[in-house]
Amino acid sequence: MGRPSRVRVSARALAHNLKVAQRQASDSRIMTIVKADAYGHGLEWAAGVLEESGAHAFGVACIEEGIRLREAGIRCPVFILEGFFHPDELRAVQALDLGLVLHHPEQIEAVLEEGTEAAPIPCFLKVDSGMHRLGVSPREAPLHAERLARSPGVAWYGLLSHMARADTPDDPYNAGQIDCLRRVAAMLPDGCPLSLANSAALLALPHSHMDWVRPGLMLFGASPLEGRSGAELGLEPVLHLESRVIAVRHLEPGQWLGYGTGFQAEEPVRVGVVPLGYGDGYPRHLETGTPVRVGDKPTRTLGRVCMDMTFVDLSSLPEEGEDSLVELLGPGVPAEILARGAGTIPYEILCGLRNRLRRVTQ
Ligand SMILES: *Cc1c(COP(=O)(O)O)cnc(C)c1O
C-alpha cells in the first residue's frame, strides 16, 4: 500500500559486520556506536540485533537516544558520548543506569557530587589527544582520572579519546594520538582501561585497539577507509533503499528531462520515473550517471533529482518498465559510491535518509 519507496534493513548483515569487528579486535570489548538513529538504520532495531549478537556496550550522542535504548529493553551499558548538556539530565542518567563520557570539568564535578555508592554512574573520561574538539587536556587528565577512579559514586571505565585521521591510516598523526593516550594512562598509578579506535582504526590500526573499540560505520557495511570498499573489507551493506518505477517516458533527441538543464537526450531515451528524491535523503548533488539497479541490472540516473522523484535510464533494459524494482542504495549500489558522486562521505548518505521512508526489518 502507498508509496513503494522504502528502507529495508538486514539483521543478518548487521550481525555479520559485528562479527568482522569482533574478529579484527578479538582482545577488545566492543562499544557499538548507534548515534543518529543507528546511522539511519533505526536505533531500537539495530541495538536489539547488536545486543543479541554480542555487543558489550552502546554509544549514543545524547540522552534522548539513551532513553530510547532503555525503553526498548536494552540492558547493556549505554554511554552518552558527549556526556550531559545540563546537570538536570543526571537524574534520568541515574534512574536509567546510563553511562557518560565526561569531557568538561563541570561535568566531572557534577558527577562526583551526584553519584552514589548505591547507584554509581558508569563513566569514561574523554581526553583530547589531538582532535581538538572535546576532552580534557592530556596534562590535566591524570588528576581528573584519579578522582573519578577513586569515587564510590562512579563506575570507572577508563580513558577515551577519538581519532582525527584514522580514515587515512598511514598518516603519522595517528601514531601521535595513540602515544598520547598511552602516555596519559602511564601516569596513573594503577593504569586504566583505554578506548580510542573507531571503525577505521579498528580495521587498519591494530595498535589503536586497546581495551574498548568503538565501531560505528563499519557495522552498517560501509567502508570508513579512503579508497577501499566495504566489500573489500568483508563488510555487507545493511540497508537497502528501494522503490519501483511508476511511469515510463520516451524522450526524442533534443528533448530535456525534468528541472533545468540536467539532461538532454541525444538519441531516443526510455526513462523510468521513480517516486523517491532528495525529500527522502537521496542527495540532489547526484548527477546524471549515478549508478542504480533496476530489476537487479545496472543502469544510471538521468537529470536532476527532484524532491519526490528521480529518473532512471531504461534504454538498455527493454524488459524493465512500470513496477520494476529499483535499488538506489544497497549491496548493488554502495554508500561509498553515492558519497563520491554527492561530494560527501558514506556517513552523511546513511544518516541523511528521512523518516518518511517506510521501514522494513528482516
Ligand atoms: C561516531 C563515533 C564513533 C564511531 O565512529 P565510526 O567512524 O562510525 O566508526 C566512535 N567514537 C566516537 C566518540 C564517536 O563520536
Side-chain angles (χ1 to χ4, degrees):
M1 280 295 284
R3 204 166 65 122
S5 304
R6 64 181 196 172
V7 159
R8 181 160 59 84
V9 283
S10 159
R12 195 197 48 72
L14 182 55
H16 165 83
N17 296 332
L18 176 62
K19 206 157 276 147
V20 174
Q22 287 165 332
R23 229 179 285 135
Q24 294 260 342
S26 53
D27 294 331
S28 306
R29 293 172 71 73
I30 301 199
M31 182 195 298
T32 52
I33 305 299
V34 290
K35 61 197 181 192
D37 209 24
Y39 295 53
H41 291 64
L43 177 62
E44 289 85 353
W45 170 80
V49 173
L50 291 166
E51 186 172 61
E52 209 166 280
S53 308
H56 299 111
F58 291 96
V60 294
C62 55
I63 190 158
E64 289 81 1
E65 293 174 339
I67 292 170
R68 279 172 60 189
L69 288 182
R70 285 291 182 249
E71 285 178 349
I74 292 296
R75 288 201 296 268
C76 279
V78 172
F79 287 93
I80 304 169
L81 294 169
E82 291 157 46
F84 54 81
F85 296 94
H86 192 277
D88 283 357
E89 295 168 34
L90 269 179
R91 220 168 309 134
V93 164
Q94 287 174 297
L96 294 171
D97 192 22
L98 298 172
L100 298 170
V101 177
L102 305 169
H103 67 84
H104 196 283
E106 277 175 28
Q107 292 178 331
I108 297 167
E109 295 311 320
V111 161
L112 288 172
E113 208 153 287
E114 300 294 326
T116 63
E117 202 164 351
I121 303 171
C123 290
F124 278 99
L125 175 64
K126 186 151 193 175
V127 180
D128 180 3
S129 62
M131 178 98 165
H132 302 135
R133 188 172 65 176
L134 291 181
V136 299
S137 73
R139 201 165 29 82
E140 292 164 351
L143 197 67
H144 292 303
E146 275 184 63
R147 289 175 73 211
L148 289 164
R150 269 204 319 265
S151 167
V154 170
W156 175 236
Y157 273 74
L159 301 175
L160 179 151
S161 193
H162 196 46
M163 299 192 77
R165 303 189 194 169
D167 56 330
T168 49
D170 296 333
D171 191 317
Y173 204 79
N174 294 313
Q177 288 199 267
I178 295 171
D179 281 354
C180 173
L181 193 59
R182 287 206 192 283
R183 260 185 287 118
V184 174
M187 283 190 261
L188 298 170
D190 306 324
C192 91
L194 301 176
S195 176
L196 182 60
N198 58 4
S199 296
L202 192 160
L203 289 163
L205 292 167
H207 291 311
S208 71
H209 288 176
M210 308 184 185
D211 301 278
W212 285 89
V213 290
R214 303 191 311 273
L217 186 72
M218 69 172 289
L219 299 172
F220 305 102
S223 169
L225 298 172
E226 261 182 29
R228 306 212 37 202
S229 71
E232 278 167 21
L233 297 165
L235 303 170
E236 291 179 26
V238 172
L239 184 148
H240 304 237
L241 178 61
E242 296 172 340
S243 191
R244 288 186 184 274
V245 173
I246 57 164
V248 175
R249 320 288 300 174
H250 297 270
L251 294 184
E252 301 297 331
Q255 286 186 318
W256 296 91
L257 176 63
Y259 288 117
T261 55
F263 180 76
Q264 184 179 33
E266 286 173 6
E267 53 199 349
V269 178
R270 196 163 159 264
V271 180
V273 181
V274 181
L276 182 149
Y278 64 79
D280 299 291
Y282 186 70
R284 187 173 174 282
H285 289 293
L286 294 171
E287 293 180 350
T288 293
T290 299
V292 59
R293 292 180 82 87
V294 179
D296 210 23
K297 290 172 286 253
T299 180
R300 59 176 187 152
T301 64
L302 297 173
R304 297 235 169 103
V305 174
C306 311
M307 185 185 290
D308 303 317
M309 279 176 264
T310 297
F311 305 111
V312 296
D313 190 350
L314 300 179
S315 305
S316 61
L317 305 174
E319 66 285 12
E320 302 301 334
E322 282 184 20
D323 218 32
S324 285
L325 187 66
V326 181
E327 178 187 1
L328 296 113
L329 171 61
V333 188
E336 297 90 310
I337 302 270
L338 289 195
R340 208 170 309 133
T344 183
I345 51 176
Y347 298 79
E348 192 182 11
I349 298 288
L350 291 173
C351 70
L353 296 174
R354 304 287 153 74
N355 279 333
R356 82 167 183 175
L357 286 160
R358 199 152 47 88
R359 298 205 169 230
V360 184
T361 60
Q362 57 179 202

